[in-house]
Amino acid sequence: MSSQAHLAELLKRHNISFVAHSHPQTTDLKHWVQTLKDNHPAEVSNFAPAKSLVLKPKGGAVTNPILVVALESSPIPINPLVKSLGNKEARTAADDVTKSTLGVDKIDVTPFAIANVQDKSTVTVVVDSDALTSGDTYLAFRNFSSESTIFVKAAQMKAFLSGSAVSFTEVKLAGLAAAAPIGKADASKGPKAAQTPKAKAEVAKADAADDKKLIGITVKKDDDFSTWYQQVLTRAEMLDYYDISGCYILRPWAFNIWKVIQKFFGGEIEKLGVEDCYFPMFVSSRALNREKDHIEGFSPEVAWVTKAGQSDLAEPIAVRPTSETVMYPYYASWIRSHRDLPLRLNQWCNVVRWEFKHPQPFIRTREFLWQEGHTAFATRQEADTEVRQILDLYRRVYEEYLAVPVVPGKKSEKEKFAGGEYTTTVEGFIPTTGRAIQGATSHCLGTNFSKMFNIMIENEAKERIHVWQNSWGLSTRTLGVVVMVHGDDQGLVLPPRVASVQVIVIPTGITAKTSDDERANLFKKSEELVETLQAAGIRAKADLRDNYTPPFKYNHWELRGVPVRLEVGPKDLAKSEACSFRRDTRAKQQLPLASIVPSVQSLLEQIQSDMFAKAKKERDERLIRLETWDGFVDALNKKCIVLAPWCEREQCEEDVKDNSARSSAGDEPQDEKAPSMGAKTLCIPFDQPKDGVIEGKTKCFACDHKAKSYTLWGRSY
Ligand code: 86X
């Protein structure tokens, strides 16, 4: 079997999807790269050529190879790299070593060769973090001994490596190379060999810079927002990529925020009389299709289960994209009289919508978590009241917990949920991209669904009437919004109310002269401080790891967005103080330990309200009020949203969208790099300007009709 066929077989066996591409034999890496540039399959337009190299640590066992996978364009600084892994030196492995350990010839090495290794714990795999910045990018792997290339998505390769038992690390190779001393063939004799105190200090500084490169955020939020967002999410350990496009792993650091939202919102709806429940995730096609009319537009997104093992199911079963069709047949059977009302149920669950637009973690994913509330009332008025109560709770989730300002309002006819009577929404804003984002929705379904599902009661006047229904949902999109709004070039910035660690205590000021007793005392005092804070209900934690320096720990917790750091050093203790650092402004302040609890409490509250005020100021500065079309497209291009008087006609809304699209071709943008999309209405804010529309007088900003309301417009997610 040719090596290429072998690789294809191997990938199939591991369920890794790939694209195989034949081309003329290539002579060397450069030639190969050029060949791919000139001629590659259309579906992999977004790809990066990769190279693989096998190293054998010097003095290490022949059977403990290091497999390095890098972008073709990245340098592989061998010695700095192996040193960062804790080895002394290494050299490229000889042909026979490669063959005996990875089961392939040196020229055929790819990361997938580890499938051939019996004891995977013997192999270390290092992947160039630049190769992983976008999980959706295809990596091209060349099989030198054949005439073809295999393309695999970076996320798939990563998932394959993470799922195997090899020790797998990501390293920023370009950063390592930059930090390596120039002109030294042997880097091991470089920095660490420094002898004078000054040279040692320089080395320490360079090492710290190195550490930061490897683990920190390497791009600026304003320069490359999408890479920044991916790096923040993965390096702050909120999320990991998965080997199915559009699906992501929510790690505890993210899930803890979700739990805070669940606790607040769950508690509030309980007070309103809503009860939690759980319905199955599967829907029969018969049930799903009862809602045909408005399902129609959504049907390409429905995921179906068609098989159990190898045998086809008698009937395919859908995975819920939302639960109206799952729940309402049972509402029909449970609701008989007005005494059965109101029926108010909520469930926290996952839903699946197989979208084909560009996925983005938390913001647009194929599976997501949400709560969906489904309620039924005897009267329109009760339903109306609830719609607004729930919407106000959504506003509070964003404003009081996530410190993100939102605009509550009503959706236009074009943007509302087609199955309902009207839709209300809270609209957020991402300043960096200038795009608005729907935060949550609360719908009045009217009697549309009760008519479809025969949900009827006999009212007090003994008339058979259809019940009034609402549905409302808030999803894990919230987590994406909080990251996008507050994060900075150092990483995540968490609002205190949702941070699972609000205060990180770090002992510092330990030098060679510090005695063991002094050091022990510092650690003890740090622990006591944490206990004091915890007793007052503050989510505090001490970082007492002894294998990391204080600056390393500072970076570690800053990247993860912890709102407050307390540094405790011998000098602070001598004065009975701690030094506080706030993540949002980076301001430092000495705090007396005697009053540490109230000081930290008020600091956390201050941070929470300052973060909201800052986000609101930024949003308000980009919310432009216009009376006419003049300046509309210009405002959008300057990353603003616009409040303008509008006639509320659907045709007008479509015209605005067309006339504000930068290019008429391709309406949906791939991501924020393509801000050419047209503007949509975001909502008709409930809070209308004081000097608002004068009925019959004020003109629509976009056409010759009379305006009905001030409406918020913008490019949106
Ligand atoms: C609309 C409406 C509503 C309960 C909410 O917005 C909040 C919580 N549901 C959801 N919607 C669909 O009905 C829908 C249906 C199918 Cl089949 C689909 F594939 C996607 C959908 N997306 C949204």
Side-chain angles (χ1 to χ4, degrees):
M1 208 187 322
S2 78
S3 65
Q4 191 73 15
H6 182 260
L7 179 55
E9 279 308 310
L10 192 154
L11 293 171
K12 275 188 201 150
R13 242 189 1 256
H14 287 83
N15 277 325
I16 300 168
S17 47
F18 63 90
V19 178
H21 174 57
S22 300
H23 49 71
Q25 183 96 50
T26 56
T27 49
D28 54 25
L29 272 177
K30 270 212 177 99
H31 181 213
W32 173 60
V33 172
Q34 192 55 49
T35 304
L36 290 187
K37 265 193 195 150
D38 296 343
N39 166 22
H40 58 262
E43 68 254 57
V44 295
S45 58
N46 181 17
F47 75 92
K51 61 185 173 190
S52 310
L53 177 69
V54 184
L55 302 175
K56 179 187 124 21
K58 200 172 168 186
V62 164
T63 49
N64 286 350
I66 301 170
L67 171 57
V68 187
V69 184
L71 287 184
E72 186 277 330
S73 54
S74 287
I76 302 185
I78 297 178
N79 280 323
L81 171 64
V82 291
K83 272 171 57 190
S84 78
L85 298 172
N87 288 304
K88 270 216 174 84
E89 274 174 59
R91 54 171 58 105
T92 51
D95 284 14
D96 57 330
V97 173
T98 305
K99 184 87 187 176
S100 67
T101 53
L102 295 170
V104 288
D105 289 325
K106 194 170 168 181
I107 53 172
D108 290 330
V109 171
T110 70
F112 306 102
I114 60 158
N116 303 327
V117 180
Q118 282 286 327
D119 180 1
K120 299 208 173 24
S121 65
T122 59
V123 183
T124 301
V125 180
V126 176
V127 180
D128 180 2
S129 60
D130 284 344
L132 296 171
T133 43
S134 165
D136 275 329
T137 301
Y138 279 96
L139 296 176
F141 297 100
R142 174 194 188 211
N143 271 75
F144 284 60
S145 55
S146 78
E147 304 174 348
S148 70
T149 295
I150 272 185
F151 296 86
V152 178
K153 283 193 176 177
Q156 291 236 322
M157 179 192 72
K158 185 176 171 185
F160 168 79
L161 293 172
S162 310
S164 73
V166 294
S167 132
F168 158 52
T169 0
E170 283 180 52
V171 172
K172 173 114 177 133
L173 292 176
L176 268 185
I182 299 159
K184 297 231 176 183
D186 186 352
S188 70
K189 298 206 174 61
K192 288 277 150 75
Q195 287 307 321
T196 66
K198 198 177 160 210
K200 275 185 184 162
E202 287 299 318
V203 168
K205 224 165 130 184
D207 279 357
D210 261 14
D211 283 352
K212 214 166 164 179
K213 280 203 196 82
L214 297 184
I215 55 169
I217 307 299
T218 60
V219 294
K220 297 214 180 317
K221 189 181 184 184
D222 286 335
D223 292 349
D224 181 355
F225 184 68
S226 116
T227 304
W228 172 88
Y229 181 62
Q230 290 178 2
Q231 286 195 351
V232 170
L233 293 180
T234 53
R235 296 182 190 192
E237 298 183 346
M238 284 187 87
L239 170 140
D240 212 336
Y241 283 77
Y242 193 64
D243 69 341
I244 295 173
S245 174
C247 298
Y248 304 89
I249 299 159
L250 302 198
R251 302 184 68 183
W253 203 247
F255 204 86
N256 285 332
I257 302 175
W258 186 235
K259 289 207 304 199
V260 174
I261 295 172
Q262 286 184 307
K263 192 167 173 213
F264 164 71
F265 185 78
E268 291 299 318
I269 60 174
E270 190 180 333
K271 286 189 220 161
L272 292 178
V274 178
E275 291 188 292
D276 281 335
C277 64
Y278 187 79
F279 281 74
M281 71 182 301
F282 297 117
V283 206
S284 68
S285 62
R286 210 179 56 82
L288 190 70
N289 285 323
R290 280 184 68 178
E291 214 198 358
K292 251 207 224 79
D293 283 0
H294 79 273
I295 286 278
E296 218 147 25
F298 292 125
S299 64
E301 293 179 9
V302 178
W304 294 89
V305 179
T306 60
K307 275 188 172 186
Q310 291 312 308
S311 45
D312 288 340
L313 298 186
E315 273 183 43
I317 294 170
V319 183
R320 62 177 166 221
T322 177
S323 299
E324 281 80 358
T325 56
V326 176
M327 297 168 86
Y328 297 168
Y330 296 85
Y331 280 39
S333 78
W334 296 337
I335 298 171
R336 294 270 92 119
S337 91
H338 66 272
R339 281 171 227 95
D340 300 321
L341 294 180
L343 178 62
R344 310 178 82 181
L345 297 182
N346 175 66
Q347 66 176 358
W348 295 92
C349 63
N350 61 338
V351 285
V352 172
R353 296 176 183 173
W354 214 255
E355 300 209 48
F356 289 92
K357 289 181 200 159
H358 187 65
Q360 194 155 32
F362 295 125
I363 304 298
R364 188 189 286 148
T365 63
R366 286 179 164 174
E367 180 187 4
F368 56 87
L369 303 183
W370 72 353
Q371 60 66 221
E372 50 178 325
H374 295 268
T375 57
F377 302 91
T379 63
R380 170 198 285 266
Q381 203 221 320
E382 288 169 278
D384 284 341
T385 304
E386 187 204 60
V387 165
R388 295 294 292 272
Q389 282 173 328
I390 296 295
L391 194 73
D392 198 54
L393 293 177
Y394 290 154
R395 181 194 62 76
R396 291 179 60 196
V397 167
Y398 276 96
E399 300 201 335
E400 295 174 13
Y401 283 80
L402 304 175
V404 171
V406 289
V407 179
K410 194 175 150 186
K411 283 282 184 192
S412 70
E413 283 301 301
K414 181 172 152 68
E415 293 296 326
K416 77 169 193 185
F417 171 37
E421 180 135 321
Y422 64 89
T423 293
T424 67
T425 174
V426 287
E427 294 288 318
F429 178 65
I430 310 298
T432 317
T433 59
R435 285 166 73 179
I437 185 161
Q438 180 175 297
T441 49
S442 176
H443 313 280
C444 177
L445 304 177
T447 56
N448 297 352
F449 281 85
S450 59
K451 283 177 185 141
M452 260 183 298
F453 288 88
N454 284 320
I455 314 175
M456 302 188 74
I457 55 160
E458 192 166 279
N459 67 10
E460 280 162 36
K462 299 259 186 225
E463 298 158 337
R464 300 269 304 157
I465 58 156
H466 288 103
V467 303
W468 286 82
Q469 287 180 276
N470 292 338
S471 79
W472 26 272
L474 173 82
S475 77
T476 39
R477 179 179 259 206
T478 43
L479 306 183
V481 175
V482 77
V483 173
M484 287 183 165
V485 168
H486 298 300
D488 65 15
D489 291 342
Q490 272 69 48
L492 205 58
V493 182
L494 289 177
R497 292 189 79 175
V498 295
S500 49
V501 177
Q502 297 172 312
V503 178
I504 187 74
V505 175
I506 299 176
T508 183
I510 297 167
T511 68
K513 285 191 216 129
T514 312
S515 71
D516 283 356
D517 281 356
E518 267 181 299
R519 191 178 157 283
N521 184 45
L522 212 51
F523 275 52
K524 193 173 127 250
K525 284 280 162 24
S526 297
E527 278 179 318
E528 284 170 8
L529 179 54
V530 167
E531 280 164 25
T532 308
L533 295 169
Q534 282 177 346
I538 297 165
R539 297 190 286 271
K541 181 183 157 103
D543 187 347
L544 303 180
R545 294 177 294 177
D546 58 10
N547 52 339
Y548 291 108
T549 61
F552 180 94
K553 294 177 184 178
Y554 299 166
N555 286 332
H556 179 94
W557 297 105
E558 281 176 33
L559 171 63
R560 283 160 183 74
V562 171
V564 170
R565 165 170 89 228
L566 290 178
E567 299 167 18
V568 183
K571 285 178 193 156
D572 302 305
L573 281 187
K575 291 181 285 180
S576 273
E577 286 180 347
C579 178
S580 72
F581 165 88
R582 50 187 281 191
R583 176 65 182 84
D584 62 333
T585 60
R586 314 191 68 78
K588 284 189 161 196
Q589 194 191 354
Q590 289 294 124
L591 298 178
L593 289 174
S595 53
I596 198 74
V597 165
S599 304
V600 168
Q601 270 164 342
S602 74
L603 183 58
L604 290 170
E605 278 160 28
Q606 193 64 50
I607 294 171
Q608 182 80 32
S609 69
D610 287 355
M611 284 178 70
F612 177 73
K614 180 174 176 233
K616 184 160 187 310
K617 181 165 177 278
E618 259 182 304
R619 197 277 315 270
D620 289 344
E621 283 168 0
R622 305 275 201 88
L623 202 170
I624 309 294
R625 183 169 162 182
L626 292 178
E627 307 302 320
T628 65
W629 180 260
D630 283 351
F632 183 70
V633 178
D634 189 46
L636 297 174
N637 290 345
K638 287 183 174 142
K639 298 184 177 177
C640 294
I641 49 177
V642 174
L643 186 68
W646 182 46
C647 63
E648 298 189 12
R649 291 181 316 116
E650 195 155 338
Q651 183 58 52
C652 180
E653 184 167 5
E654 272 158 31
D655 292 343
V656 170
K657 189 175 174 181
D658 291 344
N659 296 335
S660 58
R662 210 173 262 169
S663 74
S664 45
D667 47 28
E668 281 300 329
Q670 277 266 296
D671 53 36
E672 74 285 345
K673 284 177 203 151
S676 58
M677 72 200 299
K680 295 179 182 172
T681 60
L682 308 171
C683 70
I684 302 165
F686 291 125
D687 187 10
Q688 288 282 308
K690 302 263 180 299
D691 57 339
V693 166
I694 303 165
E695 209 152 329
K697 282 253 165 73
T698 312
K699 258 190 61 187
C700 174
F701 85 110
C703 73
D704 288 332
H705 288 69
K706 296 282 179 271
K708 289 195 171 151
S709 62
Y710 272 83
T711 299
L712 196 58
W713 298 79
R715 294 187 169 131
S716 63
Y717 279 91

